Each structure stands twice: as C-alpha cells, then as structure tokens.
Amino acid sequence: MKLQRMNRRALTLGALAVSGALALTACGSDDNGGSSSSSSSSSSSANASSANCGTAKKGQQLLADGSSAQKNAIDAWVKAFSQACGVQINYKGGGSGAGVTSFNQGQLAFAGSDSALKPEEVTASKKVCSGGQGIDLPMVGGPIALGYNVPGVDNLVLDAPTLAKIFDSKITNWNDAAIKKLNPSAKLPDLKIQAFHRSDESGTTDNFTKYLIATTADNWKYSGGKAWQAKGGQSAAGSAGVAQQVKATSGAIGYFELSYVGDGVKAVSINTGAAAPVAPSTDSATKDIADAKVVGTGSDLSLKLNYNTKAEGAYPITLVTYEIVCDKGNKADTLPATKAFLTYIASEEGQKVLSTIDYAPIPDAIITKVRSTIASIS
C-alpha cells in the first residue's frame, strides 16, 4: 500500500524537490529559516547548491535511522536537500528503538524517534556526544490513524474504551454491541476483527498506548512503551508493514500514520466527547499539537501532548516525531551537513512540505525554538 500511496505523490514530490532545493538559502549556515520556493529547472537547483550550501561537502554521505512514522517526510526532504546540496542521506526508517540504539552507539549522524529520549538513553548518549548529550528536536507532527478494512463500512466511529478492548482482544467481532452503539446507521458485518500491531519497538506504539492509558486506564492496564504489551492480535514490522497487512486482510484494523491511509484502507473517526467525532487530518493534528507543552530542559525540546483533548476539531491520537542529535560533540566530519539538513527541514519552506504529504507542521511557537537550538549545535 505504501508504494501505491507514494506513487500517487510522485508528481508532488517532484515539484517539492525543485522548490525545496531553491528554498535552501540557509543550507549549511546558522540561519534559522529558508527562503521562498521557485519552479525553476534542475540547473537552477545546481546553482542553489553551489551558492547556498555553505560548508556541507558535495558528495558527503550521512547515515540516519529511526522512526518509520516520519520516513515519508524524510524522503521528501532528502530529495530536495540532496538536489540542492549534493549530500547523500541514507535514512533507513527501521523504527524508533533501532534509531536510538544506533545513535547511542555512535553509528548515526542523527536519529528519528516518535518518543523523546528516556533518562537512561540521555546518559548513554553522553558517551558519543563529547562534552554534550543527545537532544530531542520536534520536527514532524501528525495523527496516528486507525486504519481499517471492513467491507461496506465507510465512516467508522470508535472511542478510547472500544479501541482498548479491540486491541486487547476483549472485543473480537465487528458487529459487537459497543461498536453498534457508536455506529447506529452502519451495516456492521458479522466478521472477526483482525487487530494488527507493531512487531518492532516503535514510538508509534508508544504514542498510541499513551493515548489509551491517558483516556481509558480502566480498559488498558499496561504500562506502555515502545514494545507492544497487550495480548493477542497479529503483528507486522514498521508502519508500512502494518498498513500492508490491513489492506490485505478483510476485517483488519491497525495503527499507523495518516500518510499510510488510502487505496482501500479507511481511517476511523474518534469520539472524543466533542460535539462531533474527529477524523485524522493535518489540521486536526496541528490543533492538538498546539496545546503541547515543552517539558525538556536546556536545549532539549521534548513535548507533552494532550491526549485527553475535547476541543472541537482536535484529533487526540497525535504524535510528534523528533530528530535526535548531539547538542555538543557532533562528529566534525558530519556536523556541517547534519546542521544544514536540520536547518532546512525546520525552515518555513521545509515545514510547508509536510502538509502536502499528510503530516502536520510543527506550530510556530515550537518550531521557532527548534531553529534557534539547531543554530547552536556544535
């Protein structure tokens, strides 16, 4: 499903690669933002590379890994940045747990994670960040969609208690009374529910279960974290893997980012207690992220989200994915290109890319702090 989803975006990303390349006026510098976009040709992109990429060396390679939730965003950004600056970035998207582990082993220029670093992970990072530590930079927002494949049901509504029971194998059929109550006009089939979760350690799992813990603790008695803990269900690796299984399985439901919804997979609307159920979208996610609080200290900008929101139009199952980098002690050979890339993706132009590919830009008050922090990394 991901391949077909990405094929649908091919023309959009092609345009973004050119406009994004010309937007890299801060590429490789300590400036906080980018400049305006343009529809110029690839030769203009080459001019932008030679003029505006500072000390980022053409032909340099950066290795990164982590959150699969942000991989579609990273792919779009990398395409634009590489065309402009000639830097090759290999972002594996192997999951947040893998990214943090590899970063703390000194293998990566930066990592992506859907969860902020834990205290013990910060401590471990000090071994590779000479004189500094790993910090969390919120860079990509978006809703965690509950994608489903139920024949004949186009507008499914669920709430936190029902979701908890589905993913804990307490509700096992789509015509269950609890689901009927939330969907009185739907023709719910007598069909077994096939609930899919992540097999790998995942920040998406962490954020989804944080929502369940915050909103329906009586029905979700697990401690949460990147590893799936509930009983039953089926598993697949990565957001793309879960989405592919949902698409292929009648009666399936799974959790993944909005960018993986489509092509036969529909998204659940959530009954939050507001006047109307809320569907996942970039706008509804941004409304929730805007209510987040910065809880990190020093140059760390980790956030606390409000999973219990009842604001009209605010989607409650939202994640923010971070780029993890050393605040000090970055490797000298990769620092210029790493800093240039982070500067670009945090810029106004870089953030504009997100809403075109089903992600939510980080609200201004937060991304302004991110830009300032990137300018100070060394």
Side-chain angles (χ1 to χ4, degrees):
M1 189 193 77
K2 179 183 175 185
L3 291 176
Q4 295 185 16
R5 180 74 176 178
M6 293 303 291
N7 287 341
R8 186 176 67 81
R9 294 194 204 107
L11 294 176
T12 301
L13 295 185
L16 289 170
V18 177
S19 64
L22 290 174
L24 299 175
T25 57
C27 181
S29 74
D30 288 345
D31 294 340
N32 289 341
S35 69
S36 60
S37 62
S38 171
S39 59
S40 300
S41 67
S42 59
S43 62
S44 296
S45 297
N47 291 334
S49 171
S50 60
N52 299 306
C53 288
T55 56
K57 297 178 181 179
K58 190 172 182 179
Q60 186 172 17
Q61 297 184 5
L62 295 180
L63 180 62
D65 193 9
S67 164
S68 65
Q70 63 175 256
K71 190 174 188 306
N72 289 342
I74 293 286
D75 286 348
W77 281 330
V78 165
K79 185 168 186 174
F81 181 80
S82 296
Q83 285 192 5
C85 297
V87 174
Q88 299 179 35
I89 301 175
N90 179 9
Y91 183 85
K92 294 182 179 180
S96 299
V100 172
T101 297
S102 295
F103 178 81
N104 281 342
Q105 292 174 345
Q107 299 175 8
L108 309 177
F110 68 92
S113 178
D114 310 335
S115 299
L117 292 168
K118 296 177 181 178
E120 61 270 24
E121 292 170 338
V122 173
T123 298
S125 73
K126 294 179 181 180
K127 296 179 182 179
V128 297
C129 301
S130 180
Q133 66 179 50
I135 57 172
D136 302 288
L137 301 176
M139 203 71 75
V140 183
I144 299 174
L146 278 302
Y148 69 96
N149 177 1
V150 182
V153 181
D154 294 327
N155 298 293
L156 184 67
V157 175
L158 297 173
D159 59 11
T162 307
L163 282 168
K165 292 173 185 177
I166 286 173
F167 280 91
D168 198 23
S169 302
K170 302 282 181 60
I171 292 178
T172 59
N173 201 287
W174 282 111
N175 64 358
D176 186 272
I179 302 176
K180 285 183 177 180
K181 184 176 180 180
L182 291 164
N183 300 271
S185 61
K187 295 181 179 179
L188 295 166
D190 182 7
L191 179 65
K192 183 180 178 181
I193 295 174
Q194 306 282 353
F196 284 88
H197 58 265
R198 290 281 290 271
S199 60
D200 52 325
E201 288 199 354
S202 164
T204 310
T205 294
D206 191 17
N207 281 274
F208 176 48
T209 55
K210 280 179 179 176
Y211 162 75
L212 297 176
I213 292 167
T215 55
T216 185
D218 288 347
N219 294 299
W220 194 260
K221 299 184 181 297
Y222 302 96
S223 61
K226 294 176 183 177
W228 185 257
Q229 297 171 326
K231 300 175 183 178
Q234 301 180 62
S235 65
S239 292
V242 174
Q244 288 167 357
Q245 290 298 320
V246 172
K247 177 187 175 183
T249 307
S250 180
I253 185 170
Y255 58 90
F256 35 78
E257 294 65 44
L258 183 62
S259 59
Y260 293 97
V261 171
D263 188 28
V265 176
K266 302 176 180 67
V268 172
S269 292
I270 303 299
N271 181 345
T272 64
V278 184
S281 71
T282 57
D283 288 342
S284 62
T286 297
K287 287 181 180 179
D288 187 54
I289 297 169
D291 195 32
K293 308 296 182 185
V294 175
V295 294
T297 59
S299 53
D300 185 89
L301 297 174
S302 56
L303 303 176
K304 182 177 180 180
L305 297 170
N306 181 10
Y307 296 105
N308 257 313
T309 182
K310 292 179 174 54
E312 299 299 330
Y315 185 79
I317 318 176
T318 300
L319 62 75
V320 169
T321 75
Y322 301 92
E323 309 315 326
I324 295 171
V325 67
C326 297
D327 58 353
K328 297 178 183 178
N330 288 278
K331 294 179 180 178
D333 59 336
T334 58
L335 175 61
T338 301
K339 196 167 182 177
F341 181 65
L342 294 177
T343 298
Y344 163 57
I345 68 179
S347 72
E348 181 178 355
E349 197 66 31
Q351 288 290 299
K352 282 182 179 178
V353 171
L354 296 176
S355 59
T356 69
I357 50 175
D358 296 325
Y359 291 98
I362 301 299
D364 288 344
I366 299 171
I367 202 66
T368 298
K369 295 178 182 178
V370 172
R371 293 168 185 157
S372 178
T373 300
I374 293 170
S376 69
I377 67 174
S378 61

